[in-house]
């Protein structure tokens, strides 16, 4: 999956992450956890010092080619994980869905609506892949994230 999104905001592309880039994904998760903690949000604090099972969860995502990097001028600016099944968190499901996890935008790129634009692109692409439903990684206690997703129509 590759997207090239341009507008009055900074332009970006996406590309599938390679198996050799797991350390980059862990860095992005830790960076996001640090930024969230600075905002008083503990949702991702586990990524500050992830246990083995969380690292294995990331590794499995790389093995199954589920991670995508967001690039600005060939520099990794963020990532997301896109799954077609998520039995760990959602159990077996009969309806096709895309499960979005680990949407991270580095702090220096905040304010460019990159996350919103990535999600909009995926929403637009979903019907062409017979995907009628999205499920998002969101803690209900994180009111800001819930409001963000709701502003996108979720």
């Amino acid at each position: 999956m590759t997207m090239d999104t341009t507008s009055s905001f900074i332009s970006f592309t996406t590309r599938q992450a390679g198996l050799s880039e797991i350390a980059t994904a862990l860095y992005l998760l830790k960076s996001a956890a640090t930024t969230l903690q600075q905002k008083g949000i503990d949702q991702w604090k586990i990524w500050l010092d992830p246990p083995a099972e969380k690292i294995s969860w990331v590794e499995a995502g790389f093995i199954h080619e589920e991670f995508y990097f967001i690039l600005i001028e060939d520099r990794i600016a963020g990532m997301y994980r896109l799954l077609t099944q998520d039995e760990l968190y959602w159990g077996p499901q009969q309806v096709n869905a895309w499960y979005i996890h680990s949407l991270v935008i580095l702090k220096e790129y905040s304010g460019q609506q990159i996350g919103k634009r990535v999600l909009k692109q995926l929403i637009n692409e979903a019907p062409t892949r017979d995907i009628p439903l999205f499920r998002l990684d969101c803690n209900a206690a994180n009111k800001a994230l819930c409001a963000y997703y709701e502003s996108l129509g979720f």
Side-chain angles (χ1 to χ4, degrees):
M1 173 175 310
T2 300
M3 54 182 99
D4 183 2
T5 304
T6 57
S7 69
S8 60
F9 293 103
I10 195 164
S11 179
F12 66 87
T13 58
T14 63
R15 69 163 173 83
Q16 193 165 46
L19 195 55
S20 66
E21 298 175 298
I22 293 171
T24 301
L26 292 171
Y27 165 78
L28 289 167
L29 290 165
K30 185 174 186 173
S31 175
T34 300
T35 298
L36 288 172
Q37 279 218 318
Q38 291 168 351
K39 294 178 179 182
I41 300 169
D42 286 334
Q43 181 172 342
W44 278 14
K45 68 182 175 184
I46 197 161
W47 294 112
L48 295 172
D49 186 20
E53 67 267 10
K54 283 296 195 181
I55 293 171
S56 294
W57 180 83
V58 171
E59 290 170 343
F62 272 78
I63 290 167
H64 293 104
E65 299 179 333
E66 297 166 340
F67 276 92
Y68 294 84
F69 286 133
I70 301 163
L71 306 167
I72 296 174
E73 297 178 0
D74 295 326
R75 182 166 182 259
I76 295 173
M79 74 173 181
Y80 62 95
R81 183 176 182 180
L82 181 65
L83 299 90
T84 56
Q85 296 289 323
D86 188 0
E87 290 190 21
L88 178 63
Y89 292 103
W90 288 88
Q93 299 290 318
Q94 294 187 4
V95 176
N96 287 343
W98 272 350
Y99 300 80
I100 312 281
H101 282 278
S102 307
L103 177 58
V104 173
I105 307 299
L106 287 173
K107 190 174 182 177
E108 62 256 40
Y109 296 105
S110 66
Q112 294 293 318
Q113 297 187 16
I114 296 168
K116 176 181 181 177
R117 291 161 47 210
V118 166
L119 289 170
K120 291 274 188 192
Q121 180 63 38
L122 292 170
I123 290 166
N124 290 338
E125 185 177 333
T128 69
R129 307 274 183 115
D130 192 30
I131 304 295
L133 183 65
F134 279 79
R135 293 197 166 108
L136 306 169
D137 176 12
C138 181
N139 183 329
N142 185 339
K143 300 299 182 195
L145 184 57
C146 290
Y148 172 76
Y149 285 143
E150 287 171 8
S151 75
L152 297 174
F154 292 102

